[in-house]
Amino acid sequence: MTGPSDTSRPASPPEPKSSSGVLNGAQAHGEPGNSSLPGPDLSPESTLRGIPVSPGIAIGTAHLIARGMPDSPEYCVTPDHLDGERQRFFDAVTLSCQQIQEIRDRLKGGKHNQEMLYILEAHLLILEDNQMRQGPLAHINNQRCNAEWAVKRYLGDIMAVFDRMEDSYLREKKRDIEEVGKRILNNLMGNRFETFSDFPEPVILVAQEFTPSDTLLMDQDKVLGFVTEVGGRTSHTAILAKSLGIPAIVGVKGATSQARTGDRLVVDGLSGKMAINPGLGAIDRFETRRNSFRSYRKQMIQESSEPALTKDGHRVRLKANIEFSHDAKKATLVGADGIGLYRTEHLYMNRTTLPSEEELYQAFLEAGKVMTGGPITIRTIDVGGEKQADAFRLNRDSSGINPALGLQAIRLCLRQEKAVFNTQLRALLRASAKADIRILLPMITGLEELEEALELLAEAKEALVREDIPFDPGIQVGIMVEVPSAALCADQLAPRVDFFNIGTNDLIQFALAVDRMNESVAYLYAPSHPAVLRLIDMTVRAARSHGISVSLCGEMAGDPRFAVLLVGMGLDELSITPNCLPMIRKTIREVEHKKVVELARSVMERNSHESITAQLGEFLNDNLGSDHIFH
């Protein structure tokens, strides 16, 4: 088995040509994905490997995104030229503002309209900040240096201060300031700033990494696919890539050093392979594979009206994970049975003010108007950790040196942001009068925490009754089971809720003590680890014994190998990114329930995640038709 990437282009060993679905790339360390299949053979010197995060095959021209600081000139200026340098700096700042405003205007009416606007507004605020102007001016005046050097010195000073901070929120803000600073520098130097939307022809982007805002700004008509050197399967950027439906691979070591702008590139988002300047034969094989995949996708879409029914008649409800209200339309197009997870964090991110109750109400109602074929499960505020929200900054304490274990999600709502939590609960309750809304509480660790949250919900209901505002008094409430303590206490929690929703992205992280954002320990992130499967099994059994439903909404559910295992373990529902839902439906329709139950029993007796992963791959190979190469 190999690692996630081969960084040495000429030294890469020939790839195995196994036809037995040997797990390669990311799967070698247990990452869920579609890389159980061998792709077209490539010459060793042209292939890099990473973690496939968004299925599909892109063939096109590479465009390398340089995200480092521009190599700017540094020189001293004479006193009689200082006015000119100051004016050049002001002109660059003004031009930067104009560029961002133009992008903002161009994006009006776009699919990520509101979220993009928040990001751009945040960058405008940085540009308008007095410190961002006075800092470089001080260097020009005192050091008598050119404007580029002054900006670079100022940024260096600021970055050093941020690096010394323990507050994770402030460390994250460093990236926004860097991005704005680079824009000013590029404008000083006359460089063109790339926006991912004005390429003359469609390209494949290659970068060290993309921020979530970069991903949001990608024009799907101009970006065929993308590759990054860092990132994991459950990183926010990876999840957004899947949501956009752009073939993508992350964690490709050496991508930016070996690929050049203008290279012919193939991104195989199924196997995790990136081919640089492949030969004509390889191109032909990839084109054949791409055409087959497109036909396969078309067939899957045509089957969207069909239920996820196993060959022997067992029904599985497939719901969709969405980031934004308008994503509900995607869910309906692929025949989702409802929204299994509506993340509300974006309603609070990249803005300096909190959303009003009316704004939240309208957002929830918008999703409800589109998704009429099933319930909409809306997760309450889950900010903190790696998900920082500017709007909370005024009242927020430090997350500590380990943000994932700090004040976030329901903890933040119960300890520090009860008023914000109440506003969201009121909006959810009001929306429940007109739509089939379910409330999902994140990061519950025990009964006391759950009782406290339910008490606040009861108070919100009483207030609406007093105000004669309608809501559904029987609105269902569930919890995310995403920390081991919740799974271990599932039998205590089940009587107090209407449903469980297992969040495996965090459950795996906490159970195995693996930072899922850290690619250096990605090999330990194993969804098939016996400990993870036992926690899931305990949760399912507790739900069963108390007669409540149980769903799973982590990335694990979007992997066909794990999807069949989860159905065999007794999951009622799986919630998946809309783009992956047809693939999972097709997989379920091609297996027998009695066989996946037998598979689950056999798997639970194993004690190695590697042997479990191998068994799941063999099951797919043995039970699916010829199209299994795209599962």
Side-chain angles (χ1 to χ4, degrees):
M1 298 254 183
T2 62
S5 63
D6 299 320
T7 57
S8 177
R9 192 170 172 180
S12 301
E15 296 172 21
K17 298 180 180 179
S18 168
S19 60
S20 60
V22 173
L23 305 176
N24 55 33
Q27 286 179 311
H29 47 68
E31 287 273 6
N34 308 298
S35 51
S36 60
L37 30 136
D41 295 338
L42 295 168
S43 55
E45 67 272 19
S46 63
T47 306
L48 299 177
R49 282 186 174 182
I51 302 169
V53 294
S54 186
I57 297 167
I59 303 174
T61 305
H63 188 92
L64 198 63
I65 301 295
R67 282 306 198 204
M69 278 293 170
D71 189 13
S72 56
E74 299 177 357
Y75 54 88
C76 294
V77 295
T78 56
D80 56 331
H81 285 91
L82 287 177
D83 283 343
E85 288 305 304
R86 285 191 285 264
Q87 190 58 50
R88 281 210 313 123
F89 169 70
F90 282 128
D91 290 344
V93 172
T94 301
L95 180 57
S96 299
C97 289
Q98 290 173 350
Q99 289 168 341
I100 295 175
Q101 288 165 348
E102 287 173 7
I103 296 170
R104 181 185 61 184
D105 294 342
R106 217 165 52 224
L107 293 175
K108 283 181 179 175
K111 59 182 295 185
H112 292 304
N113 180 17
Q114 196 58 50
E115 293 77 15
M116 289 181 180
L117 291 180
Y118 290 152
I119 293 167
L120 297 174
E121 291 292 349
H123 286 188
L124 284 173
L125 286 174
I126 292 172
L127 278 168
E128 292 166 0
D129 188 285
N130 191 49
Q131 283 296 318
M132 181 56 87
R133 293 169 185 250
Q134 294 304 318
L137 282 179
H139 282 294
I140 294 174
N141 294 334
N142 299 332
Q143 307 299 322
R144 296 185 179 178
C145 59
N146 64 318
E148 290 91 339
W149 197 2
V151 171
K152 215 164 182 177
R153 281 189 169 192
Y154 174 69
L155 288 175
D157 294 342
I158 292 295
M159 295 304 108
V161 172
F162 275 94
D163 287 340
R164 290 194 295 271
M165 291 180 176
E166 293 184 353
D167 190 306
S168 59
Y169 170 84
L170 291 175
R171 288 201 303 270
E172 281 297 312
K173 296 308 295 180
K174 169 185 170 183
R175 299 176 72 181
D176 285 331
I177 296 173
E178 272 185 321
E179 195 165 336
V180 170
K182 280 184 248 177
R183 181 178 291 277
I184 297 173
L185 273 175
N186 278 309
N187 283 326
L188 278 167
M189 299 168 64
N191 296 337
R192 184 165 162 267
F193 198 87
E194 294 174 295
T195 62
F196 308 144
S197 60
D198 53 359
F199 302 112
E201 62 180 21
V203 296
I204 295 174
L205 299 178
V206 181
Q208 182 70 20
E209 64 175 326
F210 292 115
T211 64
S213 60
D214 287 336
T215 317
L216 286 171
L217 289 167
M218 286 180 187
D219 183 337
Q220 292 178 65
D221 294 329
K222 297 292 180 63
V223 178
L224 299 171
F226 70 76
V227 176
T228 64
E229 290 219 16
V230 302
R233 179 171 296 281
T234 57
S235 65
H236 202 71
T237 298
I239 292 171
L240 278 171
K242 199 176 292 183
S243 172
L244 291 171
I246 299 174
I249 312 172
V250 301
V252 185
K253 302 299 182 189
T256 58
S257 60
Q258 299 195 44
R260 293 170 292 274
T261 294
D263 278 349
R264 188 70 167 164
L265 214 64
V266 174
V267 173
D268 188 337
L270 293 157
S271 67
K273 293 178 181 175
M274 168 188 176
I276 304 170
N277 292 323
L280 292 178
I283 288 286
D284 287 344
R285 289 192 290 275
F286 268 116
E287 286 179 343
T288 301
R289 180 173 163 83
R290 180 177 62 181
N291 293 337
S292 298
F293 180 69
R294 285 175 174 171
S295 298
Y296 174 76
R297 288 291 296 264
K298 186 177 179 180
Q299 181 188 352
M300 287 194 298
I301 296 297
Q302 289 172 343
E303 294 177 357
S304 291
S305 60
E306 301 292 333
L309 205 65
T310 62
K311 284 182 173 178
D312 49 353
H314 181 79
R315 178 77 155 88
V316 179
R317 288 185 295 279
L318 296 183
K319 298 182 178 177
N321 296 340
I322 65 171
E323 297 272 339
F324 312 108
S325 295
H326 53 70
D327 285 342
K329 186 175 182 181
K330 288 184 184 175
T332 60
L333 290 175
V334 296
D337 294 315
I339 303 299
L341 174 64
Y342 176 0
R343 303 179 177 95
T344 60
E345 294 80 74
H346 281 278
L347 295 168
Y348 298 85
M349 288 180 171
N350 296 305
R351 56 187 295 169
T352 55
T353 58
L354 291 164
S356 66
E357 178 183 318
E358 184 63 20
E359 185 180 340
L360 294 172
Y361 168 70
Q362 292 296 338
F364 301 149
L365 214 54
E366 180 187 346
K369 288 177 182 174
V370 177
M371 175 50 71
T372 57
I376 301 171
T377 307
I378 301 179
R379 186 174 67 188
T380 59
I381 309 165
D382 188 16
V383 298
E386 81 271 22
K387 293 175 284 190
Q388 297 298 331
D390 299 68
F392 281 90
R393 183 57 196 156
L394 293 177
N395 300 314
R396 190 174 162 275
D397 286 332
S398 167
S399 294
I401 59 174
N402 195 339
L405 304 181
L407 196 62
Q408 61 171 312
I410 198 67
R411 300 172 179 180
L412 182 69
C413 294
L414 298 181
R415 289 292 165 267
Q416 193 166 291
E417 301 291 353
K418 285 186 178 179
V420 176
F421 189 44
N422 179 62
T423 299
Q424 191 178 45
L425 290 177
R426 283 175 59 92
L428 286 166
L429 289 168
R430 286 175 57 197
S432 72
K434 297 184 177 180
D436 188 0
I437 301 287
R438 303 198 308 175
I439 297 175
L440 180 61
L441 303 171
M443 210 176 177
I444 293 290
T445 56
L447 194 56
E448 294 84 357
E449 216 164 31
L450 174 59
E451 294 290 1
E452 192 174 349
L454 293 177
E455 187 176 331
L456 293 177
L457 177 62
E459 291 175 5
K461 288 182 177 179
E462 290 170 5
L464 291 179
V465 170
R466 288 195 300 273
E467 298 167 34
D468 198 23
I469 296 176
F471 66 93
D472 176 9
I475 186 171
Q476 290 199 350
V477 180
I479 62 167
M480 290 288 294
V481 178
E482 55 188 338
V483 294
S485 65
L488 293 167
C489 298
D491 60 329
Q492 298 175 352
L493 298 167
R496 297 292 292 135
V497 295
D498 299 300
F499 64 93
F500 284 155
N501 199 340
I502 303 173
T504 49
N505 295 350
D506 279 335
L507 185 63
I508 296 166
Q509 171 176 252
F510 293 130
L512 304 182
V514 175
D515 181 352
R516 64 190 176 101
M517 307 300 289
N518 186 342
E519 61 268 21
S520 63
V521 291
Y523 69 100
L524 293 171
Y525 189 88
S528 57
H529 194 290
V532 174
L533 298 183
R534 290 181 187 190
L535 291 171
I536 294 172
D537 184 58
M538 291 177 69
T539 306
V540 173
R541 289 178 184 277
R544 287 273 173 273
S545 65
H546 289 86
I548 66 172
S549 65
V550 56
S551 176
L552 190 145
C553 65
E555 293 301 300
M556 194 175 172
D559 184 316
R561 298 167 305 156
F562 294 113
V564 296
L565 171 63
L566 295 168
V567 172
M569 292 175 70
L571 268 295
D572 300 303
E573 304 173 358
L574 301 178
S575 192
I576 311 156
T577 300
N579 283 323
C580 291
L581 197 145
M583 176 176 64
I584 299 302
R585 176 189 290 112
K586 187 170 179 59
T587 303
I588 290 172
R589 289 177 61 82
E590 293 180 359
V591 298
E592 293 182 35
H593 184 249
K594 63 181 180 183
K595 285 191 176 181
V596 297
V597 170
E598 291 172 6
L599 172 69
R601 286 176 183 156
S602 173
V603 160
M604 293 304 290
E605 293 176 358
R606 292 179 177 262
N607 54 16
S608 156
H609 77 84
E610 290 182 345
S611 68
I612 291 172
T613 305
Q615 185 179 0
L616 297 178
E618 290 169 4
F619 181 85
L620 282 193
N621 290 332
D622 293 342
N623 288 272
L624 302 185
S626 58
D627 282 341
H628 78 279
I629 62 169
F630 295 126
H631 284 263

